Amino acid sequence: MRLVLLTLGLAASFAHAQDEEPDPTPASPVRPTRAKSYTSTRLRTQPQWPLASFELSALLTGRANAFFGVDLVAGVPLGAPVKPTRRERVASGWLVMPLIEASVGGLSGPLCQGARVCGDRFVIGPGLKFGHGVGVEREGGVVRPVRMLYVQVAALGGIVDVSQAPLAPGDAWWEALVRVRLGGHLGVLDLSEEGGLGSIVSLNVAATAEYVALSQFTRGFGFGGLVGLAF
């Protein structure tokens, strides 16, 4: 009997001691931070050339008879630029670009027999561009080759209209030619986060040579150059 009473007394004392323990200190409330969060896909994607590339240039070519006008190029760059390290922003690499080239302008020379301009020329056709480009990686991993050395070959066909030529007034004929150019894009490697106009547009300069294989009066080789913009 005494053992039972002693056990009950110890249990009551232990329960009373637990009731007298102080409450634990409440946890401090967590305040939301206002620090800016940055989400960038630059380090999560592989560098890549843009989906499309364009050129707009003034073109002068010829030998005995000269052609001067506007040259347009649209293509799809293929290849994979690389960076020295993962956190570098400048990337470079080789590219191959299937393209469409078109030229429109006027003719001048002995064919005009004294007239300054005596005809119109329009040619268009497929081509291929091969070069090595350098650019700055932007959001999404896009690297536009603002600096590049390249070789380009195009097979062009179209029509020449010499409505004002004394040699053949009111005449027109089909023309087919192969045009080769060696040139470069001269741009700025803009490392700023925003990226100005220099990160999109480059000066395009090239020397050109062409061979007119099919023509009524202008068959043969021609040489010249172009200057314009690439973007």
Side-chain angles (χ1 to χ4, degrees), residues 35-231:
K36 294 182 179 180
S37 60
Y38 297 92
T39 58
S40 176
T41 59
R42 184 180 302 125
L43 300 181
R44 292 182 285 137
T45 58
Q46 292 296 325
Q48 56 186 320
W49 299 123
L51 295 178
S53 179
F54 303 92
E55 297 175 16
L56 175 62
S57 307
L59 172 67
L60 174 63
T61 186
R63 190 172 59 176
N65 296 288
F67 167 75
F68 55 93
V70 176
D71 188 73
L72 304 171
V73 172
V76 180
L78 304 176
V82 296
K83 299 182 294 183
T85 64
R86 189 172 180 81
R87 292 189 176 273
E88 282 284 341
R89 296 186 58 197
V90 176
S92 61
W94 297 97
L95 63 86
V96 177
M97 188 173 79
L99 56 88
I100 296 293
E101 181 177 0
S103 299
V104 59
L107 287 172
S108 180
L111 181 67
C112 298
Q113 290 188 345
R116 179 172 297 180
V117 179
C118 64
D120 299 316
R121 182 197 203 193
F122 173 76
V123 291
I124 187 171
L128 195 65
K129 185 175 186 176
F130 178 76
H132 186 273
V134 181
V136 177
E137 184 184 18
R138 299 297 175 188
E139 194 68 24
V142 176
V143 179
R144 187 167 294 278
V146 294
R147 292 181 182 175
M148 181 167 62
L149 295 176
Y150 69 87
V151 176
Q152 180 175 314
V153 181
L156 309 175
I159 190 170
V160 178
D161 183 0
V162 289
S163 56
Q164 303 178 27
L167 194 71
D171 200 0
W173 61 86
W174 294 100
E175 194 171 73
L177 62 127
V178 176
R179 180 179 293 160
V180 180
R181 67 167 73 171
L182 175 63
H185 297 178
L186 309 177
V188 178
L189 296 178
D190 187 352
L191 295 174
S192 65
E193 289 292 338
E194 296 80 7
L197 187 63
S199 65
I200 302 174
V201 180
S202 301
L203 179 66
N204 182 34
V205 180
T208 65
E210 63 183 34
Y211 175 70
V212 181
L214 176 64
S215 177
Q216 187 172 348
F217 295 105
T218 56
R219 186 179 303 174
F221 285 96
F223 304 92
L226 61 84
V227 59
L229 299 177
F231 49 92

Side-chain angles (χ1 to χ4, degrees), residues 28-37:
S28 301
V30 179
R31 297 181 179 180
T33 179
R34 295 185 178 182
K36 294 182 179 180
S37 60

